[in-house]
Amino acid sequence: MASATAAGRFTGLPASLTPLVGRQEEVAAVCAFLRQPEVRLLTLTGPGGVGKTRLALSVVDAIAGDFPDGIVFVPAAPIADPALLLPAIGRALDVRESLDRPLRDRVIDVLGHQRRLLVLDNLEQLIAGAADVGTLVDACPGLKVLVTSRIPLRLAGEQEFAVPPLDRTAAVALFVERAHAARHDFAPTGETLATVSEVCARLDRLPLAIELAAARTKVLSPEALLVRLSHRLRLLTGGPRDVPVRLQTMRAAIAWSHDLLTPAEQALFRRLAVFAGGFTLEAAEYVGGQGGAPLPPFDGIASLVDKSLVRGDGELDTGAPRFAMLETVREFGLECLARSGEEETVRDVHAAWGLGFLEEAESHAFDPNYGAWLDRFDAEHDNLRAALHWYEQTGRIAAVAALIGRLWSFWFARGHLSEGGTWIDRTRRALVDAPNATRSRAVLALAAGWLAMGAIDYEKAIANLAEARTAWEAIGDERQLASSLFGLGVTEQDEGHPDRAADHFQQALVLFRRLRLPIWVGLTLNNLGLVVARAGDPARGASLLEEGIALQRANDYRLGAAVGLRFLGQVSRLAGDDGKAVACYQECLVLDPEHAQPWHVPNALEGLAEIAADARQCELATRLLGCADALRQVAGIPLEPALTPAQDRLLATLRADLGERPFVEAWDSGREMKGDAILAAARAVTLARPGKTVSGTTVPSSTTGLSPREVEVLRLLAAGRSNQEIAADLSISVLTVKTHVANLLAKLGLPTRAAAAAYVHRQGLN
């Protein structure tokens, strides 16, 4: 098990619940390999069940101190598509997909020059995607990669370490230890130990096979085990010639253990093999209990765990346990399922369970604990992929579309944008000539639009959402029509088309009110309020936002309230009320401490940074912007194009005010901030003039394109003040004044300071 001091640097590393037996030499040898500067990629190879993963975990524990930037563990066994290897690595590093830059480049950016160990477990079925591993090694000089695979990757610079079976002494010791755990009075001596040694030899001294055999000592003596095992090996000798001998041996060991199960246990075992990536007890009861199985799944799972055919796989946040099969065991179970004649029925039930899970999760979308449902989605994602593949394989494309209709909101929330897009494109192609597929096409258009919006591909988002709107209007489904209109409003708003956005939001608002969906009414009011304020009416915009926030609070939807408060902070800035803006931004962050809405938190931090910069808190402003940038990078959410020029100017001003080195230090410090440190930095923001608004009055609509600070500079400039006088009056640097003057002249299209003075007089802003 990983040491306590190192545990904080591990990501995704499973705990080892039993001590390693007989691998001390191999651990030392692998550690020595990894410590050689020229060894960047090391692959542990060997047959299934030889203990590659267990050896890798022990190596990680022994070498953790050599990697100050941490160790990331990626379980690849549940992944069937080589194209999903790089996204899996990205998720383990908390790097999400985005269309603004290739995922490979974003992963390389995060790894950079870090001294980090990446552990890729069970990679043999993803060899076609191994080139991505080589690319990461080449691009990241501080990265080392430890792979477990039944076959080498065949990459340049790869070092291979063949994991051997246990030696005789270690094999016997492992058997005795596991047998003693199963039966506390097990203490063999003399002839019994010789029999144990023979059992281990017949199992090729493979650790998994030994553990399966040792678990049976509850009911069989070593002598009885040897008789049964010898019979089973003879029976399976001469299996398919295209299957490696090592797999025949492993199959023999598992088959022998399987044959010791009761018929009811065997039925449950093969049905549970349909689960990819593990399962909960509830899921096992749904799928394993189909067909009126005589054995209650709870009792059956307990028995299978006891016999080492199923293992515990941690717990959900709710405390509910998860279970899984080792991949070699699961492969055998799938073979049994295929031979049983019930595979189609079981896979249908498994897919139906997946759809039911998504429906239940969707019903909790506005619950305070929705983050736990997103975590459950992460845990079940491989099962949901398996359901999609099954429906596709059996030609049930309408069922694929229906499943995507439930899946896309989770893909959107968790950043699986390209994967979702791939499934949508494939399903659309399959529906080209399908009759009576209007609803399926509408579902796919809506999903494609929202995922494109998440990827900041506005052109694609608008095209798909417009298609969805037309389709749902023709079908007469007001709920889906409202979702299409709302998505169009958000996209047009981000694209910079406030009139079109407002029209879509108003149409959606009518439908949501009619459908009596108060939280969606509140969300629509929030977005409409922001559009109205940006169009020049901040007072009405604030009123709409406050109505929307009140609805979210009344329905205990904290995330919705957080979004509304972030928008209200922006509107308050437009109105020149920085005091209210600060309060809104800060409460937004408090209501969403886990960053469940990752695209809103960076915006709140950026708004606070602007206010901090106006108040001459330049170091704090830079840290807040650095933190926002890091969060955007992790979530795969670039800054909206319309906001980029203003932020570039702000960064240039901060860099000039602080100096290059302090700026870089503050920026890097901000990028490292997490949790409470972010909230503390947000709370540290103060106003330029405590106790009142920055401008002292509401900013007139004629200057809503300017920041409150630029309005102040404009008024002082019109009064004939020099740059030095303006700097002294506002307690900012002369260089900052020069930047403000240049920005406001550009925004207003004025050629000179004299023209600005005339503009102020004409507008009545004196």
Side-chain angles (χ1 to χ4, degrees):
M1 181 177 293
S3 64
T5 56
R9 297 194 299 275
F10 293 152
T11 300
L13 190 68
S16 300
L17 301 180
T18 57
L20 186 68
V21 176
R23 291 296 195 193
Q24 290 76 16
E25 291 184 6
E26 287 86 353
V27 170
V30 174
C31 288
F33 263 110
L34 288 173
R35 287 181 172 128
Q36 295 176 26
E38 67 273 18
V39 176
R40 303 283 311 288
L41 171 61
L42 179 63
T43 302
L44 307 183
T45 60
V50 78
K52 299 182 294 293
T53 299
R54 187 65 183 83
L55 175 60
L57 294 177
S58 294
V59 168
V60 164
D61 191 53
I63 207 169
D66 291 19
F67 296 92
D69 293 310
I71 296 174
V72 178
F73 185 92
V74 180
I79 305 172
D81 185 352
L84 296 180
L85 175 59
L86 186 61
I89 295 172
R91 287 193 297 277
L93 291 166
D94 209 12
V95 177
R96 299 195 183 192
E97 297 175 295
S98 172
L99 289 187
D100 67 316
R101 292 190 69 205
L103 178 61
R104 182 182 296 105
D105 292 347
R106 290 167 52 75
V107 170
I108 290 171
D109 286 346
V110 169
L111 291 172
H113 290 270
Q114 292 182 345
R115 291 178 57 194
R116 189 189 288 266
L117 178 65
L118 176 63
V119 183
L120 304 176
D121 188 44
N122 286 313
L123 213 60
E124 54 270 359
Q125 80 281 13
L126 303 177
I127 296 299
D132 285 330
V133 178
T135 300
L136 295 182
V137 172
D138 290 340
C140 304
L143 176 69
K144 295 204 176 202
V145 181
L146 179 63
V147 174
T148 73
S149 175
R150 298 182 190 181
I151 57 177
L153 307 188
R154 305 298 185 197
L155 295 176
E158 178 188 27
Q159 298 289 322
E160 182 180 351
F161 184 94
V163 180
L166 294 171
D167 62 33
R168 176 188 172 280
T169 302
V172 171
L174 177 63
F175 185 100
V176 171
E177 178 180 301
R178 299 299 190 262
H180 181 73
R183 179 179 151 189
H184 293 306
D185 63 347
F186 184 81
T189 58
E191 288 187 16
T192 303
L193 279 175
T195 303
V196 168
S197 179
E198 181 62 19
V199 167
C200 294
R202 296 293 182 92
L203 295 172
D204 284 349
R205 300 195 302 277
L206 293 171
L208 176 58
I210 291 169
E211 293 194 12
L212 292 170
R216 304 311 302 148
T217 55
K218 278 189 175 181
V219 293
L220 296 172
S221 69
E223 290 75 13
L225 286 173
L226 183 58
V227 171
R228 287 175 175 264
L229 185 56
S230 298
H231 175 72
R232 180 56 57 197
L233 286 171
R234 288 198 303 272
L235 180 65
L236 293 181
T237 298
R241 292 183 181 276
D242 60 343
V243 177
V245 173
R246 66 178 187 271
L247 292 184
Q248 294 180 27
T249 302
M250 201 65 224
R251 186 177 290 108
I254 301 171
W256 157 80
S257 186
H258 170 266
D259 288 350
L260 294 179
L261 301 175
T262 66
E265 289 173 332
Q266 290 179 353
L268 179 62
F269 168 70
R270 64 177 177 261
R271 292 170 187 171
L272 294 181
V274 77
F275 285 102
F279 52 88
T280 62
L281 179 61
E282 179 184 29
E285 289 173 339
Y286 189 100
V287 175
Q290 64 86 27
L295 181 69
F298 177 82
D299 296 338
I301 290 174
S303 178
L304 294 175
V305 169
D306 194 44
K307 296 174 176 64
S308 299
L309 290 171
V310 170
R311 59 188 175 87
D313 196 33
E315 292 184 350
L316 300 172
D317 288 344
T318 59
R322 282 186 67 80
F323 303 92
M325 292 181 181
L326 292 169
E327 283 305 302
T328 49
V329 174
R330 180 171 176 261
E331 288 172 11
F332 180 86
L334 289 174
E335 291 177 1
C336 295
L337 183 63
R339 291 194 300 268
S340 70
E342 62 179 14
E343 180 176 15
E344 183 174 349
T345 300
V346 172
R347 288 196 179 276
D348 279 349
V349 173
H350 174 258
W353 166 83
L355 185 60
F357 164 77
L358 289 171
E359 290 173 347
E360 183 180 4
E362 194 174 51
S363 72
H364 293 276
F366 298 127
D367 288 0
N369 66 339
Y370 184 58
W373 281 98
L374 289 176
D375 292 341
R376 283 194 62 186
F377 163 77
D378 289 338
E380 304 296 357
H381 199 182
D382 288 320
N383 281 312
L384 299 170
R385 288 173 174 137
L388 282 170
H389 281 292
W390 172 246
Y391 281 147
E392 183 182 54
Q393 177 185 336
T394 52
R396 287 175 282 181
I397 306 304
V400 175
L403 198 54
I404 289 173
R406 299 291 184 182
L407 261 171
W408 72 258
S409 61
F410 296 95
W411 282 334
F412 181 86
R414 285 306 203 213
H416 299 285
L417 305 176
S418 62
E419 180 179 352
T422 298
W423 270 108
I424 291 168
D425 291 344
R426 277 164 50 178
T427 308
R428 277 177 152 172
R429 287 194 296 270
L431 286 172
V432 166
D433 298 320
N436 304 318
T438 302
R439 177 171 287 272
S440 293
R441 293 189 182 98
V443 166
L444 296 173
L446 181 62
W450 275 90
L451 293 183
M453 182 208 305
I456 320 297
D457 188 346
Y458 296 133
E459 182 179 355
K460 183 176 181 180
I462 290 172
N464 279 282
L465 289 168
E467 178 186 341
R469 174 193 58 192
T470 301
W472 290 119
E473 196 167 24
I475 292 170
D477 190 322
E478 289 192 335
R479 174 64 185 82
Q480 300 298 339
L481 173 60
S483 181
S484 304
L485 289 164
F486 182 86
L488 278 168
V490 173
T491 308
E492 295 283 16
Q493 174 180 277
D494 290 345
E495 264 280 76
H497 303 297
D499 292 341
R500 293 202 290 256
D503 182 56
H504 293 313
F505 284 136
Q506 286 164 349
Q507 292 182 61
L509 187 61
V510 170
L511 293 172
F512 285 134
R513 287 192 191 280
R514 186 154 65 219
L515 293 166
R516 297 183 179 180
L517 298 171
I519 289 178
W520 276 106
V521 170
L523 290 172
T524 308
L525 286 169
N526 287 345
N527 283 273
L528 182 60
L530 183 61
V531 170
V532 167
R534 284 176 169 174
D537 193 349
R540 179 168 174 260
S543 176
L544 290 168
L545 276 159
E546 286 166 353
E547 181 184 353
I549 293 168
L551 276 171
Q552 312 297 358
R553 293 189 194 278
N555 288 275
D556 196 26
Y557 184 42
R558 292 167 58 91
L559 293 182
V563 173
L565 285 163
R566 200 267 292 176
F567 289 168
L568 188 56
Q570 286 185 300
V571 172
S572 299
R573 280 282 282 167
L574 289 174
D577 191 347
D578 278 16
K580 185 172 183 178
V582 168
C584 289
Y585 287 140
Q586 290 173 342
E587 188 178 1
C588 165
L589 296 172
V590 169
L591 287 176
D592 188 11
E594 301 300 324
H595 304 170
Q597 298 282 7
W599 50 92
H600 294 299
V601 173
N603 283 118
L605 296 174
E606 287 152 359
L608 287 167
E610 292 176 8
I611 298 170
D614 282 347
R616 302 295 298 130
Q617 294 179 286
C618 297
E619 188 270 342
L620 176 60
T622 304
R623 283 196 291 121
L624 290 169
L625 290 173
C627 181
D629 182 73
L631 291 173
R632 286 188 181 281
Q633 185 177 44
V634 167
I637 302 169
L639 185 68
E640 295 92 322
L643 302 179
T644 301
Q647 186 164 124
D648 287 345
R649 289 192 295 269
L650 177 59
L651 287 170
T653 300
L654 292 169
R655 190 184 297 271
D657 282 356
L658 286 172
E660 182 63 23
R661 183 171 179 178
F663 173 86
V664 171
E665 289 176 351
W667 177 267
D668 290 344
S669 173
R671 289 183 60 82
E672 296 297 322
M673 288 197 303
K674 308 288 183 186
D676 291 342
I678 295 176
L679 294 178
R683 294 190 185 102
V685 175
T686 58
L687 300 181
R689 296 182 183 178
K692 60 180 182 179
T693 63
V694 173
S695 63
T697 61
T698 298
V699 179
S701 60
S702 59
T703 62
T704 51
L706 304 180
S707 71
R709 176 62 82 198
E710 287 169 342
V711 173
E712 285 189 318
V713 172
L714 178 62
R715 286 174 171 152
L716 293 171
L717 184 153
R721 302 289 186 89
S722 67
N723 287 348
Q724 289 81 2
E725 290 171 333
I726 295 173
D729 188 76
L730 298 180
S731 301
I732 59 179
S733 72
V734 174
L735 184 58
T736 300
V737 173
K738 289 180 179 179
T739 301
H740 281 314
V741 171
N743 289 342
L744 66 89
L745 291 178
K747 288 180 179 180
L748 297 175
L750 300 172
T752 64
R753 296 163 71 98
Y759 175 87
V760 170
H761 179 72
R762 287 196 307 271
Q763 297 293 333
L765 302 177
N766 304 79

